Amino acid sequence: MALERVADGVWLLRGDLRGAMNVYFIEDGEGVVQFDAGTKAMRKKVAATARDLGGLKRIVLGHAHADHRGTAPYLGAPVFCHPDEVPFAEAEEAVTPYFDLSLLPVAPVRWIYPTLLRRWDGGPVKIDGTVAEGDEVAGFEVLHFPGHAPGLIGLWRQRDRVALVSDVVYLVDSTRLKPLPHGEASVPHPAWAWNHQEAKRSLRRLAALEPLVVGAGHERPLRGDNLRATLEAAADKY
Ligand SMILES: [Zn+2]
C-alpha cells in the first residue's frame, strides 16, 4: 500500500486485493476527513495514515457495500453517510440484499463473491450523522448519485474540478475481477445495482460536470481534459 497525492489536500491510500481498494483523505484544518472506508484488512494502515496526516476528524462513506465500509468500525471516529444508505451501513450482512450475482457471466467469479464480500467486510457500522446533496465536506460539495447504491454520494470541488465518486464509475471489470485497460471506465455491472437505469443517469450527471480528475472506489484516478466523453461512453457499457 502507498499513499498518493490526488489533488491539493487530497490523498489516496490503496490497499487489499492488488491495491485496488481506495480510501481517500481530505485535509480539513488540523486533521483529515476520510472518504470511503475500504476493506477490513486495511484498518491498521488507514489508522496509521490518518494519524500521520494530523488525525481523523470523521469518516464519510461514499456508500455502504462491504468493500467500502470495512475499516469504519475500527477507527474511533464518527461515521457519516447519506440517509438512504444508513440501513445498509448498519446491516449485519456483508452481501447486500439487492445484489443479483446470478447476472455475472463467469461462474467461478459468481461463486467467489460471497466469500470475498465477507472477507472484505468489517461488520455493521454505527452511523453518527448524515450528509446529503449540497452539504459541504472539507471544501467539497456532496452530490447524490443514486443507482449502484440508493445513497451513493460523491464529493465535488469546482475550483479544480476534482470528483471523488466511490462506485459511480468502475475502473475495474467486476465480472472478471481485474482492472480495465488504463483510461477505460464503465458503469458498475447490473449485478451490483440497486437501480441500474439510475446508475447510468448518475454517471451521465458526473460526465456533464466535466471533471479533470475522477477518484473512484477502485484503481487509480482518471485524469484528462476529455473525461466527459470517457464517462458518457462508460454509461453505455452495460
Ligand atoms: Zn459498491
Side-chain angles (χ1 to χ4, degrees):
M1 292 204 278
L3 195 63
E4 299 179 10
R5 186 178 177 279
V6 174
D8 182 28
V10 182
W11 301 91
L12 164 60
L13 180 72
R14 308 169 65 235
D16 210 315
L17 188 72
R18 287 190 325 270
M21 305 298 192
N22 293 343
V23 171
Y24 294 87
F25 297 97
I26 309 167
E27 294 171 12
D28 186 27
E30 301 293 293
V32 285
V33 172
Q34 178 183 330
F35 182 61
D36 258 346
T39 63
K40 184 181 177 182
M42 297 167 71
R43 62 197 184 281
K44 284 191 185 135
K45 187 72 182 177
V46 167
T49 304
R51 215 162 33 236
D52 290 348
L53 291 171
L56 190 56
K57 297 174 84 169
R58 63 169 164 161
I59 301 165
V60 177
L61 299 179
H63 66 302
H65 293 165
D67 52 327
H68 293 259
R69 72 173 189 174
T71 65
Y74 302 95
L75 300 173
V79 187
F80 290 69
C81 69
H82 188 277
D84 296 347
E85 211 58 15
V86 173
F88 300 101
E90 295 189 337
E92 287 289 334
E93 316 87 68
V95 184
T96 305
Y98 54 76
F99 287 170
D100 184 356
L101 301 180
S102 72
L103 298 176
L104 292 170
V106 180
V109 173
R110 202 153 62 221
W111 300 329
I112 200 172
Y113 260 112
T115 305
L116 287 176
L117 288 162
R118 284 185 194 108
R119 186 183 306 159
W120 292 336
D121 194 24
V125 180
K126 183 186 155 292
I127 296 299
D128 298 286
T130 59
V131 290
E133 176 84 19
D135 287 349
E136 196 238 294
V137 171
F140 281 73
E141 181 186 355
V142 173
L143 300 180
H144 186 202
F145 288 113
H148 173 67
L152 179 56
I153 55 167
L155 300 179
W156 169 245
R157 192 165 68 186
Q158 178 75 33
R159 73 168 156 88
D160 52 359
R161 311 190 83 78
V162 174
L164 307 178
V165 298
S166 199
D167 285 349
V168 174
V169 64
Y170 268 2
L171 310 179
V172 286
D173 181 348
S174 66
T175 70
R176 289 177 177 76
L177 278 165
K178 61 177 199 186
L180 287 170
H182 187 69
E184 282 188 29
S186 90
V187 68
H189 190 274
W192 315 113
W194 169 72
N195 181 323
H196 189 57
Q197 292 310 313
E198 288 234 26
K200 290 158 81 80
R201 260 196 297 281
S202 286
L203 183 45
R204 289 194 189 98
R205 181 187 182 202
L206 172 63
L209 292 171
E210 301 191 337
L212 293 174
V213 181
V214 174
H218 307 284
E219 301 296 335
R220 290 204 153 84
L222 278 179
R223 297 173 187 276
D225 48 22
N226 195 21
L227 293 185
R228 181 174 191 151
T230 303
L231 296 168
E232 277 173 356
D236 293 324
K237 288 263 169 77
Y238 296 113

